[in-house]
C-alpha cells in the first residue's frame, strides 16, 4: 500500500499550496506494455481484492503520480520487463481515454498500526523538509519533470514525442483484447447497464 502513504504525502504538499484534496480508494485498469515489442500489451492494475489509492483535488482533478511505478510492483516484475507509464494529473475526469479506467470506491483515512504511523510521521517530516528546500533554493527551470498525462491533448503530444508506453498502448485500442471481466462489469454497473449472467 505504498500508494496510500505516497498519496497522503502528495496531499500534504498540495495543502502547503492551499489546494484541498481527498485520498480515494478504488480500482484501476491500465495497459501493461512490455519492453519486448513482440509481446502484445495486456491489461494491468488493481481490482477485486486489490485496490489502488489516488487523490481527487477540490478542482475535480485526479492526481495519481504513483502509477508511474506500476512496473515496479512485485506482481509486475514476475513477468517480462514492462515499460514505465506516465504519471497522471488528469484535469477533466468526465473524459477518459479507453486506456485509463479509474473506479473510485470512496474516500479513505489513514488507519495504520502504531509502527506504521511512526514510520509515516518520519516520512511526512522528510517530505516537508524536502519541499521547503526546493521552494527556498531552486528555480522552476532547475526541476526535472517526468511525463504527466493531463488530458487527451497530452496523450497525443507525448505519443508524437515518441513515448513508447503510449505508442504501444494504442495497440490495445485497435485490438480485440477486452477489459478484464470485473472491470467491464464495474463499468456497466456505473453506467446503469444491467449485467448479463
Amino acid at each position: 500500500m505504498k500508494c496510500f502513504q505516497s498519496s497522503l504525502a502528495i496531499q500534504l504538499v498540495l495543502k502547503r499550496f492551499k489546494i484541498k484534496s481527498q485520498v480515494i480508494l478504488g480500482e484501476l485498469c491500465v495497459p501493461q506494455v512490455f519492453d519486448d515489442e513482440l509481446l502484445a500489451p495486456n491489461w494491468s492494475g488493481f481490482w477485486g481484492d486489490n485496490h489502488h489509492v489516488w487523490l481527487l483535488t477540490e478542482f475535480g482533478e485526479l492526481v495519481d503520480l504513483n502509477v508511474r511505478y506500476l512496473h515496479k510492483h512485485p506482481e509486475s516484475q514476475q513477468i517480462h520487463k514492462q515499460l514505465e507509464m506516465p504519471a497522471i494529473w488528469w484535469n477533466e475526469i468526465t473524459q477518459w481515454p479507453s486506456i485509463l479506467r479509474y473506479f473510485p470506491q470512496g474516500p479513505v483515512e489513514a488507519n495504520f498500526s502504531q509502527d506504521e504511523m511512526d514510520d509515516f510521521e518520519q516520512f511526512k517530516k522528510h517530505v516537508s523538509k524536502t519541499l521547503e528546500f526546493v521552494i527556498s533554493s531552486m528555480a522552476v527551470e532547475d526541476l526535472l519533470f517526468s511525463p504527466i498525462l493531463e488530458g487527451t491533448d497530452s496523450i497525443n503530444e507525448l505519443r508524437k514525442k515518441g513515448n513508447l508506453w503510449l505508442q504501444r498502448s494504442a495497440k490495445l485500442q485497435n485490438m480485440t483484447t477486452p477489459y478484464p471481466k470485473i472491470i467491464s462489469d464495474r463499468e456497466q454497473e456505473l453506467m446503469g447497464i444491467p449485467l448479463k449472467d
Side-chain angles (χ1 to χ4, degrees):
M1 288 301 291
K2 290 180 182 176
C3 58
F4 195 2
Q5 289 90 332
S6 297
S7 294
L8 288 166
I10 295 165
Q11 184 181 47
L12 183 71
V13 172
L14 293 178
K15 189 175 181 181
R16 169 70 170 76
F17 296 101
K18 310 268 192 276
I19 299 172
K20 297 175 186 171
S21 62
Q22 275 192 314
V23 181
I24 304 295
L25 176 78
E27 297 158 316
L28 164 71
C29 184
V30 294
Q32 182 180 51
V33 179
F34 303 101
D35 185 48
D36 184 347
E37 196 174 357
L38 298 176
L39 292 171
N42 206 339
W43 296 109
S44 180
F46 302 93
W47 52 77
D49 293 332
N50 299 308
H51 296 90
H52 188 50
V53 177
W54 60 87
L55 290 176
L56 191 62
T57 74
E58 63 181 303
F59 306 111
E61 303 159 310
L62 186 145
V63 180
D64 186 3
L65 305 183
N66 301 303
V67 76
R68 71 178 286 232
Y69 299 106
L70 183 59
H71 66 291
K72 292 188 174 186
H73 190 279
E75 288 187 19
S76 297
Q77 294 185 332
Q78 291 176 1
I79 52 176
H80 303 280
K81 183 179 177 188
Q82 294 181 46
L83 294 178
E84 178 182 319
M85 69 175 288
I88 295 173
W89 190 309
W90 200 263
N91 293 319
E92 183 49 71
I93 60 172
T94 61
Q95 298 175 356
W96 286 99
S98 60
I99 58 170
L100 299 173
R101 287 291 178 264
Y102 281 86
F103 299 108
Q105 293 181 353
V108 64
E109 298 288 333
N111 188 18
F112 302 135
S113 69
Q114 189 57 53
D115 285 346
E116 290 171 326
M117 189 55 81
D118 292 343
D119 288 344
F120 181 59
E121 288 301 322
Q122 290 299 316
F123 179 50
K124 280 180 13 183
K125 287 178 186 173
H126 176 71
V127 168
S128 295
K129 186 177 176 182
T130 303
L131 176 62
E132 294 308 321
F133 171 78
V134 168
I135 291 170
S136 64
S137 64
M138 297 180 75
V140 173
E141 55 270 14
D142 295 333
L143 299 175
L144 296 175
F145 295 98
S146 65
I148 295 180
L149 298 181
E150 304 168 342
T152 50
D153 289 344
S154 66
I155 287 179
N156 295 332
E157 185 180 328
L158 285 172
R159 189 181 294 140
K160 286 177 187 172
K161 286 182 178 177
N163 183 285
L164 284 179
W165 186 88
L166 280 169
Q167 288 178 345
R168 294 181 187 171
S169 292
K171 292 179 182 177
L172 276 178
Q173 294 173 322
N174 304 325
M175 292 166 53
T176 55
T177 305
Y179 295 118
K181 185 177 186 316
I182 194 167
I183 295 298
S184 298
D185 289 351
R186 185 89 166 91
E187 193 162 51
Q188 289 182 28
E189 175 189 329
L190 290 174
M191 293 173 64
I193 300 170
L195 299 177
K196 296 178 183 176
D197 290 332

